[in-house]
Amino acid sequence: MAPLLNGYTNGASRHLPEDPSIVASRFSDIPSQIDIPVTGLEAEEAVEVNLEELLDDPTELCTLLEQEGVGKHYWMVIALAYAKQAKVDHAIEILSKGLGTLNRGNPKEKLGPLSLTCWLYLWKSREAPRVVPEGQLVGETRLKDFYLQAATGCLNEASRINPAFPPLFLARGVLYLLRASLQPPSKATAPGAPDISDRVETLRQSIKCFEDALRVSAGRNMMAILGRARAYFSLGKYAEALDGYQEVLLKMPHLQDPDPRIGIGCCLWQLGHRDEAREAWERALDLNSDSKIANILLGLYYIHDSSHYATTDPSFGPIYKKAMTVYTQKAFKLDKGLPLTCATFGSYFMMRKSWTTVDNLARKAIEYTDVNAVASDGWYLLARKEHYQERPDSAKANDFYQKADLARGGGDKGYLPARFGLVQIQILQRDYDGAKFRLEKIIQQSKSTEAMMILGALHAEDVFRSQVSGIKEDKSTEAKKATTLLEAVRLAWKDPQKKLTPDTSVLVYLARLYETDQPDKALQCLQQVEQMTINDMPNKEPPDGTEADDAWAAKLREQLSPQLLCNIGCFHFNSEKYDQAREFFQTALNACVKAGEKDEGTDTDALVTTISYNLARTYEAAGLLDEAKQVYQGLLARHEDYTDARTRIAYIELRQNPTEDGPRAMAALYETDSTNLEVRSLFGWYLSKAKRRAPNIAEDQEQRHYKHTLQHHDKHDRYSLTGMGNLYLTTAREMRRDTDQDKEKRRKMYEKAVEFYDKALQLDPKNAYAAQGVAIALVEDRKDLTAAVQLFSKIRDTIKDPSVYVNLGHVFAELKQYSRSIESYEAALTHNRASDPQILACLGRVWLLKGKQDKSPSAMKTALSYSHRALALAPQQIHFQFNIAFVQIQLAQLIHILPESQRTLDDVVKASEGLEEAIESFGVIAQSKNPPYPRHDIEQRANMGRNTMRRQLERAIQNQTEYEEKNAAKLQEARELRDAEIQRREQEKRRVEEQKEAEKQKIREERDKMAQLSRELAEKRMEEEKRREEAEYTTDEEGERVKRTKKKKGGKRKKKVDDSDTGTEAGDGGEDKAVKKPRRKKKAQSTEPSSAVGSSNEEGETKSKKKRKRLARRGGKEDKFKSQEMVVDSDLEDDWQAAAQLTNGQASNDEDGDIQMRDGEEEEGETVTRQKPRNRIIEDDDEDEDDDDEEEPSNKTTAEVDAEKNGGHKGASFADNPHGDPVDDSVGAAGDAGAKELAMSEAPTVMS
């Protein structure tokens, strides 16, 4: 908080100009010269002192002031003039001498100079260093704390004179603010616990002082509001601070020194509104382009914005350049000593490795700042500078990092980059446990991806060191932690808001962690590394006119790391994707050539040798043995002592020529490299395949070879231990078990085999071959099939060897789970063992057992097929011939016992033929040198087939022939019956369809008739409509057709007619067929047909006026239309009869399908209620009040009136049915919608 130094400490007494173009600067109130009155001269004379060209030594001037005894005003103005020229020490000296002269006067005269002296000391505190600069002694430099103590002394002395002096409140508040900046930040407290640190208490005292200053100024001291907002900001109460800055800006919008917009932007930044903060700072810069604070803050904004992009991103460069060149550099030019600018510029020179400049800028930021965070940045720069050295001083860097962390509070509130640097120093010092502990704390507080990355790498390195050292230590927990952390980092890359740059090292670590247990995920990680590297290539796009095909992708891969391509190829090899593996190995060889061209120091020979060997192994696994041999020979041409290549060549020779070239190559290899364990292992495998069985295991060549290896070369050779276990297991399997003594010897032999397996498993817990031997021993010795199945299932998931599936097939066969056994054997066949006669023989055996269990001839035929395939692969094996004969005998027995309905004559005949072949085979096998079973047993089985089974099959053939002949007749009869039934059903179906078609035709004809009637009715209605229109229209005098109108007399809409002797009246159509009856008064019109009922009085009774009677509706609810509830009584019977005759004469012409009501009887006094019409509109005419003549009531019904109005053609529906029976409306209902519409439009008009 910069104080006002122009003599007006109370902001309320200082006014800014209304014109924003006029900017008031500090010390603008200081005059350019001042006249000092001199005693002894005339009153008008004085000594003029030029305040713009002051003396370097104010002693003479002070002497003059002391001699003349001037007032405090002169001392203060001259002191301010020196302060204006940044000669603060002279200003303080002048004020000190002035206070000495004022001691003899009124003490209150000293308040002004004391207050000004306090402000000058505060100013000096802002410019003084907070710590002793490097290379200076402690007593030589006055620090910030010295000047703050001096300011405190001035305030205390002024407070003793007048503690309520208003300027003191503001000065004391600023003093507390500056004192708080020197105190260390508060430590982290427990949630909910109050912060009672010295710094917080000091800031609270400053807030109290600023509030007192506001109180005495009645809220007009803007500097006090700014000071309080600054204190709130230091306490972390950014919302309250923002309110204070905005209040000042609202009251003094032209204030620029200090500028409240700077504080507003800082508060908005802390509240997360970064763009709004930038706008506030830009506004401050618009008003004052030389504002160093606004420039550096905008530079920090753009530096922060550039941090969202990778340094390789095209968007990074322009933003960072703008931050440094446009804003930070300008702020540095305006004030090279501004601590915040020094700290910001220091990071720029750090990247340029200008260590001297970095050191100078960092120490300026540390020594002269009033903000702890800026000091933290300075210590961090020093730590990084030390850390970057080729031989860093770890102790010094560690000390700088700790100071940077403590400057921001340390602990949970500390500086995260500094704590991260401490972790790196600990890693350099190999303090891995301490680094892990600190990283875990960082991750708990900030979820830093960098911290997770390093912690995951540390855990992964623990796992890798354990694997290399061979120490038996469970590192699964560390592997899980490493995988979890690195996967979290990998997932964070996908968040677009974080804009993180993927790191290939994370993927490489994950690939190594996944290598053993999840090779698919490891391959995905390496492929992602490959794609990321290709994306970073500058020339990754194909040339114009070409497409990115496989050839272009292979060309791009040649620019990748050969190690990466080789590793990807190895994973494809382990996944048995040999074609893809071969492509990657070949591309890796090309990449080695290009890598050697780029960097001659690269050891490409070692890379080419390893990749070429992997390529040859891929050829070998794919069955391309000649190509593999050629690559191996090329390796031997470059390195004659390459034992692995010679070993693989010997193995290929053994596979291609196991009788001549193979043994010779094996002997030559063993003779030259007999001490190599790999060679000895291959030689042991060769002995297991080529040796002759010895009656005693001690005389076995393979056993002697393994024993020699364990005794003289390596007692922990796992292959030899496993081979010894296999030998003992095979021997135990072939031992006799007739007596208890034989069984005991056999059991001990199994135990010996298990001991060797157990030793191998102790050395290598993942040795699946040793575990498989233990499982076989469990089955054969203890018959523990369930445990064996579990072991074999785990082994199957570990290694992809056909022997595992073969053993599983054996166990499932013993458990009588023949389907699963068959699946296991077939899986073994698919693993490069399709030509193994032993597996085919096992499949034949299992299918035979399944056929006997299910009594299925098809299963036995499948067993016979597999037995034939086994014999075809090994025709010299006599036991395969026995298997075929045995299956044929079993098939013949099954066919014999099956009922006739489950077999066919062809099955029995083929079984008989197979039996003959089996009898002949048994005879040959019995005469062989080494039959699989005793000759006597084989001959007995042949005799049984020759004597018993042959006759049984002959009878079976005869019985089957008779059965099939009888069954054929029955089938023919049933077939004929079925055909007859099908024919009958088809006939019935056709009849039903014809009947339905006839009904449909009848319906169509009826519909046609109804349509024809509808058309005829429509035509009649059209003709009737035409006649009615002709009756309603006439020709006027001019020859135009106009509608007939009725003349009106008197009243509004009342129509009167004259009395007539005939008792009839004319209808609405205007036809003069009836004589008008006098004094008809009311008419009503309806929009739809309705029936009307009239009633008459007793015969002979006459009345002069119309009588009306209110009738109740059937529903019990009154209708709102009065005309529907009124019935006219009339005693004119003659009129009624005439209307009835007219209605009955024309009722037959009514073509509407609607049903209307009328009078059914002509009895006197009978009253009939009308049915309520729908959507009816009634129009009542008022009676003529001037007409006093009596009017005779009409005894006609409404329907009769309608008939008269329509010329006798409308209004009667039941004319032909005088008894009121309904008329058949089926014809009308069959009409189309147009006919109904026309009928509705012809609704009669009802008169009442």
Side-chain angles (χ1 to χ4, degrees), residues 254-295:
H254 308 310
L255 180 62
Q256 298 180 21
D257 187 19
D259 195 342
R261 299 166 188 84
I262 302 296
I264 290 174
C266 293
C267 294
L268 291 172
W269 180 277
Q270 294 294 339
L271 293 172
H273 307 293
R274 307 292 169 84
D275 294 333
E276 289 79 359
R278 173 182 55 80
E279 293 175 359
W281 295 331
E282 287 177 346
R283 176 57 179 162
L285 200 61
D286 292 340
L287 297 176
N288 183 11
S289 60
D290 293 334
S291 174
K292 55 187 178 181
I293 299 296
N295 275 287

Side-chain angles (χ1 to χ4, degrees), residues 10 33 114 121 156 168 280 290 439 506 573 638 662 761 772 956 970 1028 1160:
N10 190 347
Q33 60 186 11
L114 284 173
Y121 278 129
N156 292 337
L168 298 182
D290 293 334
L439 285 171
V506 175
F573 178 86
R638 299 175 60 184
L761 287 172
Q772 186 173 213
K970 292 180 180 179
R1028 187 168 62 251

Side-chain angles (χ1 to χ4, degrees), residues 503-514:
D503 192 343
T504 55
S505 62
V506 175
L507 298 171
V508 173
Y509 273 117
L510 284 173
R512 291 189 65 184
L513 292 169
Y514 286 137

Side-chain angles (χ1 to χ4, degrees), residues 466 469-476 478:
S466 176
S469 63
I471 300 175
K472 294 180 181 179
E473 188 177 358
D474 185 14
K475 291 293 184 179
S476 58
E478 286 77 4

Side-chain angles (χ1 to χ4, degrees), residues 828-840:
L829 284 178
T830 58
H831 286 74
N832 297 328
R833 298 288 290 273
S835 59
D836 193 333
Q838 295 294 338
I839 300 177
L840 293 172

Side-chain angles (χ1 to χ4, degrees), residues 1085-1226:
Q1085 295 181 350
S1086 176
T1087 59
E1088 66 181 36
S1090 63
S1091 61
V1093 179
S1095 61
S1096 61
N1097 295 329
E1098 293 181 0
E1099 188 175 351
E1101 184 180 358
T1102 59
K1103 293 186 178 179
S1104 61
K1105 293 185 179 180
K1106 188 182 299 183
K1107 296 181 180 179
R1108 295 194 175 107
K1109 186 183 301 180
R1110 185 175 298 276
L1111 303 180
R1113 293 177 53 83
R1114 292 180 182 178
K1117 182 178 178 182
E1118 291 185 358
D1119 197 294
K1120 61 183 180 178
F1121 298 118
K1122 294 182 179 181
S1123 60
Q1124 295 180 3
E1125 299 170 358
M1126 305 299 296
V1127 176
V1128 179
D1129 293 337
S1130 177
D1131 57 346
L1132 300 179
E1133 185 177 358
D1134 296 335
D1135 294 344
W1136 178 88
Q1137 291 176 353
Q1141 290 175 1
L1142 180 60
T1143 302
N1144 292 336
Q1146 301 295 335
S1148 59
N1149 294 329
D1150 186 15
E1151 298 170 1
D1152 294 335
D1154 301 327
I1155 302 176
Q1156 300 180 357
M1157 299 294 295
R1158 73 172 190 86
D1159 289 350
E1161 299 293 338
E1162 298 179 0
E1163 297 178 359
E1164 294 178 359
E1166 183 178 0
T1167 303
V1168 183
T1169 60
R1170 292 183 296 163
Q1171 184 179 1
K1172 178 183 177 182
R1174 298 172 60 187
N1175 299 329
R1176 189 168 177 182
I1177 300 174
I1178 304 300
E1179 201 176 82
D1180 294 335
D1181 294 333
D1182 297 334
E1183 293 182 349
D1184 188 6
E1185 298 177 358
D1186 300 330
D1187 189 2
D1188 294 330
D1189 298 334
E1190 293 184 357
E1191 181 178 354
E1192 294 182 4
S1194 173
N1195 58 356
K1196 295 182 181 180
T1197 64
T1198 306
E1200 294 165 353
V1201 175
D1202 292 340
E1204 293 175 355
K1205 290 174 63 179
N1206 290 290
H1209 299 287
K1210 300 290 179 181
S1213 298
F1214 297 164
D1216 296 332
N1217 191 2
H1219 299 289
D1221 296 333
V1223 177
D1224 186 7
D1225 60 349
S1226 60

